[in-house]
Amino acid sequence: MLTRKQHELLLFIHQRLKESGIPPSFDEMKEALDLASKSGIHRLITALEERGFIRRLPNRARALEVIRLPDSIAPGLNAAKKFSPSVIEGSLGKRGTAEPARPRVASNDDDATQGVVVPVMGRIAAGVPIDAIQHRTHSVTVPAEMLAGGDHFALEVKGDSMIEAGILDGDTVVIRQMSSATPGDIVVALVDDEEATLKRFRRKGASIALEAANPAYETRIYGPDRVRVQGKLVGLIRRY
């Protein structure tokens, strides 16, 4: 998944190239995205390059080439359009009371004929926050009873900060898309519109705490305007 800022920068570069054939300068990009410093632009460009959306041309100043746009965007559409993942409507059944400490694990023995196909939208950090990828990579089939209604997507887990909640590096988490959470929920949280992480949601007064399930990681505290909930964990798939 691309973050909102990555989306904005990619579309700004694309539009400028389309209009003049010349990439914008770092100062122009910083001003367009309302960032405080050019270091943020360097970080966004590196992330876009790593994900295969742009390419820096060697030995040329300001030389950027847009290789592709996200599947959710077509050239010429409103640049302000927000990403909305292609997801399956999960209205095939309601779950029973969930055990709060650990997600349900679907093994490879689950009957795929009774499952629902859910798109995998990239990788999520269960550790130090990393940029989330915001484009569909492949799909997985999950049991219909795992879905509680609404839109769902899946993410591959990287890191070990949630091991005491039963979430391991390499697992695939199933997320119900939503923008709010109850304290104690395990959520996908977007920090500063740039980095995404999988953590337990807590409140500390007016602030939001993102709590790991591994004593090796500290709980991170943020102001409420810095964290946006993207979805809530409803299931987990593990391959052996």
Side-chain angles (χ1 to χ4, degrees):
M1 293 185 287
L2 290 180
T3 67
R4 182 173 62 85
K5 288 294 186 184
Q6 290 166 2
H7 249 261
E8 290 177 0
L9 181 60
L10 179 61
L11 291 177
F12 179 67
I13 295 170
H14 172 71
Q15 190 63 32
R16 181 61 65 88
L17 285 170
K18 188 175 171 183
E19 292 173 353
S20 66
I22 301 174
S25 68
F26 274 65
D27 284 325
E28 290 171 331
M29 288 186 271
K30 178 173 73 73
E31 183 177 348
L33 271 67
D34 194 27
L35 295 180
S37 69
K38 288 190 283 188
S39 62
I41 295 296
H42 280 283
R43 188 150 51 95
L44 291 171
I45 286 178
T46 298
L48 289 171
E49 187 176 31
E50 289 175 348
R51 286 154 176 73
F53 288 98
I54 66 173
R55 177 168 54 202
R56 282 186 265 208
L57 304 178
N59 303 320
R60 292 173 56 189
R62 290 177 51 174
L64 295 173
E65 178 184 10
V66 175
I67 300 173
R68 66 187 180 94
L69 293 174
D71 294 338
S72 58
I73 298 176
L77 288 183
N78 184 351
K81 180 180 178 182
K82 292 185 179 179
F83 169 79
S84 178
S86 300
V87 296
I88 303 299
E89 291 287 341
S91 57
L92 299 181
K94 297 200 177 213
R95 301 176 62 197
T97 302
E99 180 181 278
R102 295 178 183 270
R104 170 182 166 84
V105 177
S107 71
N108 287 340
D109 295 329
D110 286 318
D111 186 358
T113 63
Q114 298 181 14
V116 177
V117 176
V118 173
V120 179
M121 305 305 293
R123 182 173 289 180
I124 187 72
V128 178
I130 58 173
D131 287 344
I133 304 171
Q134 195 159 314
H135 65 276
R136 181 172 181 158
T137 59
H138 58 285
S139 299
V140 293
T141 300
V142 304
E145 64 181 16
M146 187 182 287
L147 308 183
D151 295 338
H152 294 76
F153 59 96
L155 293 164
E156 296 175 344
V157 174
K158 179 178 176 61
D160 61 357
S161 75
M162 299 302 292
I163 56 175
E164 292 190 1
I167 303 171
L168 309 181
D169 184 60
D171 286 346
T172 298
V173 289
V174 180
I175 305 296
R176 181 184 180 188
Q177 186 175 342
M178 55 198 312
S179 59
S180 61
T182 301
D185 287 344
I186 296 176
V187 302
V188 173
L190 189 63
V191 179
D192 296 331
D193 284 330
E194 293 184 2
E195 297 175 314
T197 189
L198 185 72
K199 292 291 184 293
R200 198 176 296 280
F201 180 89
R202 303 285 190 191
R203 289 198 179 275
K204 299 288 185 181
S207 299
I208 292 173
L210 298 180
E211 179 183 274
N214 182 337
Y217 292 83
E218 64 179 10
T219 296
R220 295 176 177 264
I221 310 294
Y222 301 95
D225 58 331
R226 296 184 60 194
V227 177
R228 289 195 296 126
V229 173
Q230 304 289 283
K232 173 184 172 180
L233 177 72
V234 296
L236 184 147
I237 301 168
R238 179 169 301 147
R239 300 185 184 279
Y240 295 95

